[in-house]
Amino acid sequence: MNRNDMERVKALVRNIPDFPVAGIQFKDLTTAFKDPFALRAMADAMAELYEGRGVTKVAGIESRGFIGGALLAAKLGAGFVPIRKPGKLPADTISMSYDKEYGTDVIEMHRDAITSDDVVVIHDDLLATGGTMLAAFKMVKSMNPKAVYINFVCTLKGLNGRAMLPAEVEVTSLFDFDGK
Ligand code: AMP
C-alpha cells in the first residue's frame, strides 16, 4: 500500500461537524470517491491487501460499503454481496440484530449469498464503534465460510472499534483518523 497515496486520499475526506446529530464529526467520503485519483488509489490499495488470498466474495455493508466493496470485488475477480437494512432484499434472508446507542438495529443478507466454499472480505467505509461490523461478521460466520476478513477504508481510532471485533480476525484499514 502506498502511504503517500493514502495520505492524499485521507486529505480529500471532508469533515462535517454535528452531522447527523450534534457532537458527531461525520467523515464524508464522497469527496474522496468523486476524485478520480483517489477512487483508483483506494481500489488498488484494498486489492493489494487481499490479492492471492483466494477471496471469492466481498460483502459490502449498506450503503457506503457498497462502493468500495464492489470496487474490491471486481479487482480481485470475486463476487459482491450486499448486506442491507431490513426489508430491502427480495429473496430469503438471514438477519442479525445489534444494540445501538438508542435501541436496536438489524442487518440482513440473502441466505444463498455465501457458502462454505467461500473466502469472504466484509467491507465498510468506516469503523466507528464496531457494532455494525460485529453484527455483519457474526452473520457471515453463521454461513460457515472457509475464512472471513474485515476491511475498512478508514478507522476512527478514538472510538476503539477494533476492540469490539474478535482479536483473531484480520482487520485492515487504508488510513486512520485520530479522533472520535
Ligand atoms: P459503528 O457501528 O459505530 O462502527 O458505525 C459504523 C457505520 O456508521 C458505518 O457504516 C459508517 O459509515 C457510519 N458512521 C459512524 N460514525 C461515522 C462518522 N463519524 N462518519 C462517517 N460515518 C460514520
Side-chain angles (χ1 to χ4, degrees):
M1 191 155 60
N2 185 317
R3 288 276 154 211
N4 288 337
D5 284 358
M6 289 306 102
E7 284 303 315
R8 272 179 72 182
V9 175
K10 180 178 171 179
L12 287 166
V13 175
R14 173 164 59 187
N15 189 75
I16 312 278
D18 300 320
F19 181 88
V21 293
I24 300 288
Q25 299 293 325
F26 191 86
K27 303 299 176 198
D28 176 16
L29 272 78
T30 66
T31 42
F33 289 138
K34 78 173 179 180
D35 182 272
F37 165 83
L39 188 68
R40 180 173 291 175
M42 286 186 274
D44 289 347
M46 288 188 291
E48 202 183 294
L49 290 168
Y50 296 100
E51 257 151 20
R53 314 217 21 213
V55 175
T56 56
K57 299 266 171 63
V58 178
I61 301 179
E62 183 169 357
S63 56
R64 289 178 292 269
F66 291 171
I67 300 162
L71 286 173
L72 176 58
K75 293 278 284 183
L76 293 176
F80 175 81
V81 300
I83 294 177
R84 298 210 63 181
K85 292 170 182 141
K88 302 280 188 187
L89 291 167
D92 190 21
T93 56
I94 61 166
S95 62
M96 187 64 63
S97 61
Y98 60 102
D99 291 327
K100 300 269 279 188
E101 203 177 344
Y102 303 103
T104 45
D105 248 333
V106 178
I107 49 173
E108 293 185 342
M109 69 194 305
H110 277 142
R111 192 175 292 279
D112 61 3
I114 287 167
T115 73
S116 54
D117 291 328
D118 280 319
V119 173
V120 183
V121 178
I122 314 175
H123 170 89
D124 203 355
D125 66 329
L126 182 140
L127 172 59
T129 65
T132 312
M133 186 54 86
L134 179 62
F137 177 78
K138 286 182 186 164
M139 188 167 62
V140 169
K141 265 292 212 191
S142 77
M143 297 167 124
N144 289 312
K146 280 194 213 152
V148 186
Y149 307 111
I150 291 174
N151 169 255
F152 298 95
V153 175
C154 60
T155 298
L156 296 184
K157 279 283 193 195
L159 289 171
N160 201 20
R162 178 65 186 88
M164 176 81 111
L165 302 169
E168 67 275 13
V169 181
E170 183 186 303
V171 179
T172 60
S173 178
L174 302 185
F175 51 89
D176 299 329
F177 293 96
D178 285 333
K180 294 186 177 181

